Amino acid sequence: MSLDRIRLASLHDKVISAEQAAEFVQDGMTVGMSGFTRAGEAKAVPLALVARAKTNPLKIDLITGASLGNDLDKQLTEAGVLARRMPFQVDNTLRKAINQGQVMFIDQHLSETVEQMRNNTLKRPDIAIVEAVAITEDSLIIPTTSVGNSASFVEYADKVIIEINTTVSTEFEGLHDIYIPEARPTRGPVPLTHVEQRIGTKGIQLDPAKVVGIVFNDTLLDSPSNVTDPDDETQAIADHLIAFFENEVAQGRLPKNLAPLQAGIGSIANAVLTGFKHSNFEDLVMYSEVLQDCTFELIDAGKMKFASGCSMTLSEKCGDRVFGNLAHYKDKFILRPQEISNFPELVRRLGIIGINTALEFDIYGNVNSTHVCGTKMMNGIGGSGDFARNAHLAIFVTKSIAKGGDISSIVPMAAHVDHNEHDVDILVTEQGLADLRGLAPRERARAIIDNCVHPMYRNALNDYFERACAKGGHTPHLLREALSWHANFEEHGHMLTPAQQESAQPA
Amino acid sequence: MSLDRIRLASLHDKVISAEQAAEFVQDGMTVGMSGFTRAGEAKAVPLALVARAKTNPLKIDLITGASLGNDLDKQLTEAGVLARRMPFQVDNTLRKAINQGQVMFIDQHLSETVEQMRNNTLKRPDIAIVEAVAITEDSLIIPTTSVGNSASFVEYADKVIIEINTTVSTEFEGLHDIYIPEARPTRGPVPLTHVEQRIGTKGIQLDPAKVVGIVFNDTLLDSPSNVTDPDDETQAIADHLIAFFENEVAQGRLPKNLAPLQAGIGSIANAVLTGFKHSNFEDLVMYSEVLQDCTFELIDAGKMKFASGCSMTLSEKCGDRVFGNLAHYKDKFILRPQEISNFPELVRRLGIIGINTALEFDIYGNVNSTHVCGTKMMNGIGGSGDFARNAHLAIFVTKSIAKGGDISSIVPMAAHVDHNEHDVDILVTEQGLADLRGLAPRERARAIIDNCVHPMYRNALNDYFERACAKGGHTPHLLREALSWHANFEEHGHMLTPAQQESAQPA
């Protein structure tokens, strides 16, 4: 604990313990908490809340930026604290509770949560709990490794608890750009026109009268990223994409520095971006949600000149390098509220190339990002819809098969649709790339089956498509069969029937 | 024919016949043509093209604003002229050809077609054919009753044919506001911040060197709107919506003039808006695609003070009133390019209330706007996605049953998804209104089944939902049954099995 970090002296007497802070959270409250993809979440207070719930049970609606680290969602679920949770999560225990209908999960476009609060179509938080590096003399909260929705939570909540994380360097001050869109109906344009631009303040504007407690956390760090290393398949996906971009440049459809890149969280998108290290592209920029290891590898390799995000989720090794040399990186990246990192107005204006991971897609290019077999929530749509709908190019990547081949990621009909045919330009698996731009559904199916499908599923998909076309329609389907692959998997562990498996082309 | 309408004298010698103009269209060309929802399409030249194709066959890719009047899509289809068609249509003959796979139809968000041309991800037109009121001395084409994509077609095409419709009053000059977003990556904000605002020019900038012909049409009018009168069900839908808006105002979530209204084309949306005539709301404004009869009825009733659209599609009666008194209406509406009327940046900034018609929706609120039984194209997504994704409120309306009750508009799983759970706020049928804001899927299902479903289908949907919940999942489904209602209808003409029909609650 160091009072130096509270430069607004009038707040010095607000320092309390995490346990005391947790007492401000009451049963039935809506809580807005910092944290985005395991970065910058409040840590000590929610842990104290978990402890307190054991003797003094309570249920809250918890709204964050996105997913939390430090197993917080797990512990909050096990302690029975979560009645409702939004807008995103990645925790296995919470996922089970969601899928059993025990926690009501509201899966949202990540740019929309605070817009809905601003409009009062979503309840505003009773209390905001946000992690900070410091509080400045002019009442600004300096966030840590993510901005998420914290700025709006602090604006809309009645009470504010600030958790100062002294393990995070004070050099973070100056790395953020906090801008909140004006209220409608008198809103003007969001003035950002290039990724490096600053349009806001270096911290979150705080009304000191709202502060009910300041808690010091001197020990708990962000959980490191758990992305896995690239493998042969993700390398193949990266190679297909790089060849595609090279051709776009050759055809004059993209400049040599491409367009601002967005990449979804996760191992595949991280591997794809890392693959750019050995490309011919130069002066790349990123306008994305999460800055991952790949961002800093591209910066270090001299391939990327600037990155804008709303959080940074790094492996331990990459974190050591970046956080240990913040002065070196300080003019190369910026962290913004997720509403701004994902704002549709800006995604379209900047002409972003969005690269996101699909759980599965169908032969017509409808993408399922969220629901295993159409019913079980995986993580949430996250920002993929914010980007895909408005991007210059909406690209989805996935490996062509999962579970050792028992699942094909390309199916006759997606069992849940997060991104439909209207919004999906390019699909890539390790097998190849389907360029769907300007194609009608029957043409899309041909491109997808020929380029993206694993050989062991190609015959079965061709068979489905041909029989569906014989029946007719703009988007031909056999309704009694369209979801049978998912049902087969649920019932006997493989998407194809034994007969279909026999007639499959060998891998 | 009156050369007064060509005020740029250097173009006087470009006047040719429609037949001569049609000769400029060559086999394999991409043609960009004016026309949006039966308004402002070029008429004489495409009819000459149909005639010419009988002796001199050709195939073209035809891109318009939206649907065409004067049976042009029918005649072009019958003449075998259409290889590819985008981004929207409503013609029965063309629809059949699309569903038989004879015409490749690319169903697009209506704000995106020319953005894709600008980025060279969609082929630019070889030739543009646009209807006009006049050509000014400073090389502006003054459009007629729609702007559609014409401004960009004229910019991107190599050759331009202008069809001057002398049946349209020259008073149309001054009713348009033509603005084209800047090219990326150096695009700035689109500066519009209120619906009445002018941000462009009164006509389409023309390079006179591109003009290969000017054709006069002195006889052919726009086809009148074919919306039907409100009936009991559409009146009930309007009443539910008005009660909802009244409550939003009472709760302080909307001001008394609501927010800029958008309404999709068609009888239901038209009836809903007409219902506002007898509401307590005042000073309404519209920021929409199509200005329909309801727009002018609300203006005449003193309820609406301004309307912005990209086309006007009126019944004969309403057309007589409006076109016969343009001076009276001239400061009350404006026509813009469809890219601007539907631009996501503006839809979000203005906080639009979008009211669009669903073909069907499912118990979780996924909306199908386009595909009958998931396979057969009806019209196209149109602008519904441009609005729903970015709107302050995304509202979808439909009657709860169709075909005398053989079809339920609410199904276990939508057989095609154009708008998913993330983008749908409010659903309304004549039965009632489901407010889905802030709800998790299982809660959405309860709200939808209880409020929107026709009684004769309620038991069957409750049964499905309960059995699906017993199986589990965030969005519970029974995969072998999810699409069975559509399959039942295809196979025996009713969505329920005979056993289900027996146990149905009486209507």
Side-chain angles (χ1 to χ4, degrees):
Chain A
M1 163 171 160
S2 158
L3 282 178
D4 296 353
R5 296 227 179 185
I6 309 175
R7 285 157 24 208
L8 186 65
S10 64
L11 288 177
H12 282 182
D13 63 357
K14 295 290 184 183
V15 176
I16 55 175
S17 70
E19 292 67 32
Q20 288 172 308
E23 290 300 322
F24 283 102
V25 181
Q26 300 294 315
D27 186 55
M29 274 189 172
T30 298
V31 178
M33 216 162 78
S34 67
F36 196 105
T37 54
R38 307 159 71 88
E41 75 277 356
K43 299 168 179 75
V45 178
L47 286 175
L49 193 65
V50 166
R52 169 230 159 146
K54 283 172 190 162
T55 54
N56 185 2
L58 81 168
K59 291 247 181 234
I60 62 168
D61 293 356
L62 178 60
I63 313 180
T64 57
S67 56
L68 305 177
N70 285 291
D71 280 341
L72 288 180
D73 268 323
K74 175 177 189 285
Q75 298 192 59
L76 287 162
T77 303
E78 286 171 350
V81 171
L82 301 179
R84 307 171 75 74
R85 180 77 176 87
M86 67 183 82
F88 187 80
Q89 59 79 42
V90 299
D91 181 78
N92 203 37
T93 302
L94 174 53
R95 187 180 291 142
K96 276 187 195 137
I98 289 167
N99 286 320
Q100 286 165 5
Q102 291 157 356
V103 174
M104 292 293 104
F105 176 57
I106 297 93
D107 174 24
Q108 297 189 305
H109 297 304
L110 296 185
S111 81
E112 294 196 345
T113 307
V114 296
E115 183 84 272
Q116 293 180 11
M117 280 185 190
R118 189 173 300 122
N119 302 328
N120 287 302
T121 58
L122 194 69
K123 191 175 171 301
R124 295 180 176 194
D126 298 294
I127 191 161
I129 308 174
V130 300
E131 188 179 78
V133 166
I135 304 167
T136 68
E137 15 325 68
D138 48 349
S139 299
L140 295 176
I141 299 172
I142 307 297
T144 59
T145 46
S146 73
V147 180
N149 285 320
S150 299
S152 293
F153 291 161
V154 168
E155 180 178 353
Y156 298 132
D158 300 324
K159 297 187 174 77
V160 175
I161 292 170
I162 300 156
E163 194 177 302
I164 293 181
N165 189 334
T166 59
T167 76
V168 180
S169 162
T170 53
E171 282 188 285
F172 261 83
E173 189 168 337
L175 273 174
H176 310 89
D177 185 56
I178 310 298
Y179 178 91
I180 295 181
E182 296 161 315
R184 299 187 295 220
T186 54
R187 180 182 295 175
V190 177
L192 191 139
T193 57
H194 55 277
V195 301
E196 302 90 335
Q197 191 178 348
R198 291 187 159 271
I199 59 174
T201 54
K202 70 173 182 179
I204 297 167
Q205 201 70 53
L206 171 70
D207 173 1
K210 285 188 182 180
V211 178
V212 294
I214 299 174
V215 173
F216 275 87
N217 160 25
D218 300 326
T219 54
L220 296 164
L221 314 176
D222 282 349
S223 302
S225 160
N226 49 10
V227 297
T228 54
D229 285 335
D231 58 25
D232 288 350
E233 279 87 23
T234 57
Q235 187 56 50
I237 292 171
D239 292 344
H240 295 311
L241 256 181
I242 288 167
F244 166 78
F245 287 128
E246 280 171 351
N247 186 52
E248 290 296 292
V249 174
Q251 300 295 324
R253 287 192 290 261
L254 279 175
K256 248 195 104 164
N257 67 337
L258 304 181
L261 297 168
Q262 176 266 332
I265 184 105
S267 300
I268 298 183
N270 193 62
V272 167
L273 267 272
T274 303
F276 278 58
K277 268 204 300 194
H278 308 293
S279 70
N280 295 317
F281 310 119
E282 285 166 15
D283 292 332
L284 296 170
V285 294
M286 184 167 237
Y287 195 83
S288 195
E289 264 177 19
V290 189
L291 307 185
Q292 300 179 72
D293 285 14
C294 58
T295 309
F296 295 94
E297 288 187 34
L298 289 173
I299 288 173
D300 290 346
K303 285 284 171 194
M304 180 168 284
K305 61 178 187 175
F306 197 85
S308 168
C310 80
S311 86
M312 48 200 304
T313 304
L314 306 180
S315 68
E316 215 164 332
K317 193 175 153 199
C318 183
D320 286 349
R321 192 169 82 241
V322 174
F323 299 133
N325 296 282
L326 268 180
H328 169 68
Y329 291 100
K330 213 159 176 175
D331 61 344
K332 298 184 178 66
F333 76 97
I334 196 167
L335 297 176
R336 309 178 189 275
Q338 69 195 73
E339 190 178 19
I340 299 302
S341 64
N342 291 25
F343 209 56
E345 171 173 334
L346 303 177
V347 175
R348 183 129 169 193
R349 181 182 305 150
L350 296 171
I352 282 170
I353 295 171
I355 305 171
N356 290 286
T357 305
L359 203 58
E360 67 177 6
F361 53 84
D362 68 26
I363 56 173
Y364 299 111
N366 298 288
V367 170
N368 175 3
S369 298
T370 53
H371 283 70
V372 177
C373 280
T375 59
K376 292 191 200 67
M377 173 54 59
M378 191 71 190
N379 302 327
I381 193 168
S384 57
D386 290 321
F387 291 103
R389 172 66 62 91
N390 296 290
H392 167 58
L393 289 174
I395 300 170
F396 286 89
V397 296
T398 186
K399 296 183 184 185
S400 70
I401 51 173
K403 302 243 180 225
D406 290 340
I407 289 177
S408 172
S409 305
I410 298 93
V411 292
M413 179 188 268
H416 180 91
V417 176
D418 292 293
H419 312 286
N420 59 36
E421 44 161 357
H422 312 283
D423 295 329
V424 178
D425 296 313
I426 307 286
L427 292 169
V428 199
T429 70
E430 82 288 351
Q431 299 291 321
L433 181 147
D435 182 350
L436 308 179
R437 294 175 295 175
L439 298 188
R442 289 174 192 230
E443 297 169 315
R444 294 164 74 98
R446 203 60 276 142
I448 290 169
I449 297 174
D450 291 348
N451 291 292
C452 297
V453 173
H454 194 279
M456 75 170 80
Y457 283 95
R458 199 169 289 153
N459 282 353
L461 279 175
N462 270 322
D463 175 57
Y464 177 88
F465 178 56
E466 283 158 21
R467 286 183 296 119
C469 284
K471 188 154 170 286
H474 177 59
T475 303
H477 271 301
L478 304 169
L479 294 175
R480 298 260 182 223
E481 260 183 66
L483 300 175
S484 66
W485 289 33
H486 302 88
N488 288 343
F489 177 76
E490 282 188 348
E491 291 163 14
H492 61 82
H494 195 292
M495 278 198 162
L496 299 184
T497 62
Q500 283 175 314
Q501 287 178 55
E502 266 173 44
S503 69
Q505 222 171 285
Chain B
M1 161 171 161
S2 158
L3 282 179
D4 295 352
R5 296 223 179 189
I6 308 175
R7 289 164 13 217
L8 187 65
S10 64
L11 288 179
H12 282 181
D13 62 357
K14 295 289 184 183
V15 176
I16 55 176
S17 69
E19 292 67 31
Q20 287 172 309
E23 290 300 321
F24 283 102
V25 182
Q26 299 294 317
D27 186 55
M29 273 189 174
T30 297
V31 178
M33 215 162 77
S34 68
F36 195 103
T37 54
R38 306 159 69 87
E41 76 277 356
K43 300 168 179 73
V45 178
L47 286 174
L49 193 65
V50 167
R52 169 225 158 151
K54 283 172 189 161
T55 53
N56 185 0
L58 80 169
K59 290 247 180 234
I60 63 168
D61 293 357
L62 177 61
I63 312 180
T64 58
S67 55
L68 305 177
N70 285 292
D71 281 342
L72 287 181
D73 268 325
K74 175 176 188 284
Q75 298 192 58
L76 286 163
T77 303
E78 286 172 350
V81 172
L82 301 179
R84 308 171 75 72
R85 181 77 176 87
M86 65 182 85
F88 188 79
Q89 60 77 40
V90 298
D91 181 78
N92 203 37
T93 302
L94 174 53
R95 188 180 290 140
K96 276 186 195 138
I98 289 167
N99 286 320
Q100 287 165 4
Q102 290 157 358
V103 175
M104 291 295 104
F105 177 56
I106 297 92
D107 174 24
Q108 296 189 306
H109 297 303
L110 296 185
S111 82
E112 293 196 347
T113 307
V114 295
E115 182 83 272
Q116 292 180 12
M117 280 184 189
R118 189 173 298 122
N119 301 328
N120 287 302
T121 58
L122 194 68
K123 190 174 172 302
R124 295 181 175 193
D126 298 293
I127 191 161
I129 307 173
V130 300
E131 189 180 77
V133 166
I135 303 167
T136 68
E137 32 297 87
D138 48 349
S139 300
L140 294 176
I141 299 172
I142 307 297
T144 59
T145 47
S146 73
V147 179
N149 285 320
S150 300
S152 293
F153 291 162
V154 168
E155 180 178 353
Y156 298 132
D158 301 325
K159 298 186 173 77
V160 175
I161 292 170
I162 300 157
E163 193 177 301
I164 294 182
N165 189 334
T166 58
T167 76
V168 180
S169 162
T170 53
E171 284 189 284
F172 261 83
E173 188 166 336
L175 273 173
H176 310 90
D177 185 56
I178 311 299
Y179 178 91
I180 296 182
E182 297 162 314
R184 300 188 295 220
T186 54
R187 180 182 294 175
V190 178
L192 191 139
T193 58
H194 54 280
V195 301
E196 303 91 333
Q197 190 178 349
R198 292 187 159 272
I199 58 174
T201 54
K202 68 172 182 180
I204 297 167
Q205 200 70 55
L206 171 70
D207 174 359
K210 285 187 182 179
V211 178
V212 294
I214 300 174
V215 173
F216 275 86
N217 160 25
D218 300 326
T219 55
L220 297 165
L221 314 176
D222 282 350
S223 303
S225 161
N226 49 9
V227 297
T228 54
D229 285 335
D231 58 25
D232 289 351
E233 279 88 23
T234 58
Q235 187 56 49
I237 292 171
D239 292 345
H240 295 311
L241 255 181
I242 287 167
F244 166 78
F245 287 128
E246 280 171 351
N247 186 52
E248 290 296 293
V249 174
Q251 301 295 323
R253 286 192 291 260
L254 279 175
K256 248 194 104 165
N257 67 338
L258 304 181
L261 297 168
Q262 175 266 333
I265 186 104
S267 301
I268 299 183
N270 192 60
V272 167
L273 268 271
T274 303
F276 277 58
K277 267 205 298 194
H278 310 292
S279 70
N280 295 316
F281 310 118
E282 286 166 13
D283 293 333
L284 296 170
V285 294
M286 185 166 236
Y287 195 84
S288 196
E289 261 177 22
V290 188
L291 307 185
Q292 301 178 71
D293 285 15
C294 57
T295 308
F296 294 94
E297 288 187 33
L298 290 172
I299 288 173
D300 290 346
K303 286 285 171 195
M304 181 168 284
K305 62 176 188 178
F306 197 86
S308 167
C310 80
S311 86
M312 47 200 306
T313 304
L314 306 181
S315 68
E316 214 163 332
K317 193 175 153 199
C318 183
D320 286 348
R321 192 169 84 242
V322 174
F323 298 132
N325 296 282
L326 268 181
H328 168 68
Y329 290 102
K330 211 157 177 175
D331 61 344
K332 297 184 180 65
F333 75 97
I334 197 168
L335 298 176
R336 308 178 190 275
Q338 69 195 73
E339 190 178 21
I340 299 302
S341 64
N342 291 26
F343 207 57
E345 171 173 333
L346 303 177
V347 174
R348 182 128 170 194
R349 181 182 305 151
L350 296 171
I352 283 170
I353 296 173
I355 305 172
N356 291 287
T357 305
L359 202 60
E360 68 176 6
F361 52 84
D362 68 27
I363 55 173
Y364 299 111
N366 299 289
V367 171
N368 175 5
S369 297
T370 52
H371 283 69
V372 177
C373 280
T375 60
K376 293 191 199 65
M377 173 54 59
M378 191 71 191
N379 301 328
I381 193 168
S384 57
D386 290 322
F387 291 102
R389 171 67 62 91
N390 295 290
H392 167 57
L393 288 174
I395 299 170
F396 285 89
V397 296
T398 186
K399 296 184 184 186
S400 69
I401 51 173
K403 303 243 179 224
D406 290 339
I407 289 177
S408 171
S409 305
I410 298 93
V411 292
M413 180 188 266
H416 180 90
V417 177
D418 292 293
H419 312 287
N420 60 36
E421 46 161 357
H422 311 285
D423 295 329
V424 178
D425 296 313
I426 308 287
L427 292 170
V428 199
T429 69
E430 81 289 350
Q431 299 292 320
L433 181 147
D435 182 350
L436 308 179
R437 294 174 294 176
L439 299 187
R442 289 173 192 231
E443 299 169 314
R444 295 165 74 98
R446 204 59 276 142
I448 290 169
I449 297 174
D450 290 347
N451 291 291
C452 298
V453 172
H454 194 280
M456 76 170 80
Y457 283 95
R458 199 169 289 151
N459 282 355
L461 279 175
N462 270 323
D463 175 58
Y464 177 87
F465 178 55
E466 283 158 23
R467 287 184 293 119
C469 284
K471 188 154 171 284
H474 177 59
T475 304
H477 271 300
L478 304 169
L479 294 176
R480 298 260 183 221
E481 261 183 65
L483 300 175
S484 66
W485 290 33
H486 304 86
N488 288 343
F489 177 76
E490 282 189 347
E491 290 162 15
H492 61 84
H494 195 292
M495 277 198 162
L496 299 184
T497 62
Q500 283 174 313
Q501 287 178 56
E502 267 173 45
S503 68
Q505 221 171 286

